[in-house]
Amino acid sequence: GHGTYFAQNSSKCCLYSELSRTDGTPFRSKGPWKMLLCRVLLGETLRTDQSCRGIRKPPGQEDGTPYDSITALTRQEGGIVDMREYVVFKEANALPVFLVSYWHSSTCECHLCRGGAL
């Protein structure tokens, strides 16, 4: 849906990273990769075990007040994601603190370095 997505595990960002493999070089040789480390204010969050695909604004609480964010629960919590995801709908709820540059090592076994298979 519409919103800004965050994760509690930094490795989650690689799941949403896209690089072209048309030149045949492995992902780990490309870089540096960039990731923002942010402070995120969730406020009143809707904890959900369902997909919110296509949502354009935060859903309303019982009293009609919109939630500030959505928290996608993990499979272990009864949800549908492997790692928790958070979605905020206002720019003011997220503060970038650090820009992290990193490279994949020559022995990296993440899904991208293995060929993009999840």
Side-chain angles (χ1 to χ4, degrees):
H2 290 40
T4 306
Y5 287 70
F6 297 91
Q8 99 186 32
N9 300 74
S10 60
S11 59
K12 180 86 174 184
C13 73
C14 278
L15 295 175
Y16 293 95
S17 298
E18 294 181 16
L19 289 176
S20 171
R21 290 182 62 96
T22 57
D23 64 358
T25 57
F27 284 101
R28 63 180 151 258
S29 67
K30 302 205 184 236
W33 291 61
K34 306 284 186 186
M35 177 183 1
L36 287 173
L37 179 65
C38 300
R39 290 185 184 263
V40 181
L41 299 173
L42 298 177
E44 292 292 326
T45 191
L46 170 65
R47 296 168 50 94
T48 185
D49 58 0
Q50 302 173 14
S51 172
C52 292
R53 195 176 301 263
I55 195 167
R56 295 195 175 279
K57 60 182 184 175
Q61 300 179 49
E62 287 183 23
D63 67 0
T65 306
Y67 282 99
D68 299 304
S69 64
I70 296 175
T71 298
L73 300 176
T74 66
R75 294 182 203 290
Q76 291 178 326
E77 298 169 313
I80 60 171
V81 296
D82 292 322
M83 294 178 259
R84 267 199 181 183
E85 295 180 17
Y86 306 93
V87 184
V88 295
F89 297 89
K90 295 179 182 174
E91 291 178 12
N93 286 40
L95 175 65
V97 179
F98 296 103
L99 175 61
V100 179
S101 297
Y102 66 99
W103 288 259
H104 289 252
S105 73
S106 61
T107 58
C108 181
E109 290 294 322
C110 79
H111 82 285
L112 292 176
C113 293
R114 286 192 324 257
L118 293 174

